[in-house]
Amino acid sequence: MLPASQDDNRWSVPISALEHFAYCPRQAVLIWQESYFESNTDTVRGDIAHEAVDRGGKLTGRDGARVWRSLPVHSHRLGIHGVCDTVYRCEDRLVPVEHKSGRYVQGGPADVQVAAQVLCLREMFDQQIPQGEVFAGKSRRRYQVTVDEALEERVSRAVEQLRVRIDDPVAPQPVNDQRCTRCSLRPGCVPETAQRQTIDLFTPRLPRNHDD
């Protein structure tokens, strides 16, 4: 992580880490504190989906809008930084678009990620940017994400909570729920240990029979 600014003692939080944290705090800590990462079919599919936007540069869209690909963004106020997959500028209106290879879940981690991008662009360009978008590869369509006060507060809380977690030497406990099913970090996370610990703590032990 990088300093938020020259006059700021905080560390700047990567926007992609916020998405990981919104999905699973343990996942975020394993990646950003312990530098642990594994690839699976989902992560490879995501890398392939990002190949076009990762080239960077400017172009003109079919509707005449100017498009920036892989645009670096930051917010000194929040202490966050990252890269927008694409940013559209049409009639002086900026719209960041986050590309996902799978499906879109309203209110999910992608909303936190694109909202953080919107907040960065608002600060950098001093503009009112009401929303961003998430492009879901599975449905091949864009979904609008309105960045209101509630979502802005959610991003702000996630930033501070992630900072606390990163500084904590003890990683969050595994959740061992449906989120783990397709998580690429499962081999190193070992979420099954959470269930075993629960059994050990709450299963009463029967007294031994001294006659055995």
Side-chain angles (χ1 to χ4, degrees), residues 102-171:
R103 65 188 182 93
Y104 171 71
V105 178
Q106 186 176 11
D111 284 12
V112 173
Q113 187 174 11
V114 77
Q117 296 171 4
V118 166
L119 297 176
C120 288
L121 291 171
R122 286 179 183 174
E123 182 175 322
M124 291 171 61
F125 291 90
D126 191 23
Q127 288 188 11
Q128 294 295 322
I129 303 173
Q131 65 192 31
E133 296 180 353
V134 176
F135 174 79
K138 192 165 186 178
S139 61
R140 304 296 299 175
R141 57 169 291 196
R142 295 184 191 175
Y143 298 85
Q144 293 184 351
V145 179
T146 300
V147 184
D148 54 15
E149 291 184 6
L151 186 51
E152 182 174 354
E153 177 61 24
R154 183 181 173 191
V155 172
S156 181
R157 286 199 310 270
V159 171
E160 296 308 317
Q161 291 170 359
L162 179 56
R163 282 202 181 96
V164 171
R165 285 294 192 180
I166 292 295
D167 289 337
D168 192 334
V170 180

Side-chain angles (χ1 to χ4, degrees), residues 63 65-71 73 84-99 114-115 117-119 121-122 125 127-135 142-147:
D63 55 358
R66 295 184 64 185
V67 182
W68 287 270
R69 297 186 298 194
S70 296
L71 179 68
V73 294
C84 295
D85 287 340
T86 54
V87 177
Y88 288 78
R89 185 185 188 111
C90 185
E91 298 178 355
D92 294 327
R93 185 172 63 93
L94 296 175
V95 180
V97 181
E98 176 64 26
H99 293 243
V114 77
Q117 296 171 4
V118 166
L119 297 176
L121 291 171
R122 286 179 183 174
F125 291 90
Q127 288 188 11
Q128 294 295 322
I129 303 173
Q131 65 192 31
E133 296 180 353
V134 176
F135 174 79
R142 295 184 191 175
Y143 298 85
Q144 293 184 351
V145 179
T146 300
V147 184

Side-chain angles (χ1 to χ4, degrees), residues 41-104:
T41 54
D42 290 332
T43 61
V44 171
R45 189 181 297 113
D47 291 340
I48 294 174
H50 277 82
E51 283 184 354
V53 296
D54 286 346
R55 297 191 190 105
K58 301 178 183 178
L59 52 90
T60 302
R62 295 177 180 177
D63 55 358
R66 295 184 64 185
V67 182
W68 287 270
R69 297 186 298 194
S70 296
L71 179 68
V73 294
H74 65 270
S75 168
H76 292 311
R77 179 178 66 85
L78 291 172
I80 60 178
H81 69 279
V83 177
C84 295
D85 287 340
T86 54
V87 177
Y88 288 78
R89 185 185 188 111
C90 185
E91 298 178 355
D92 294 327
R93 185 172 63 93
L94 296 175
V95 180
V97 181
E98 176 64 26
H99 293 243
K100 299 297 180 186
S101 61
R103 65 188 182 93
Y104 171 71

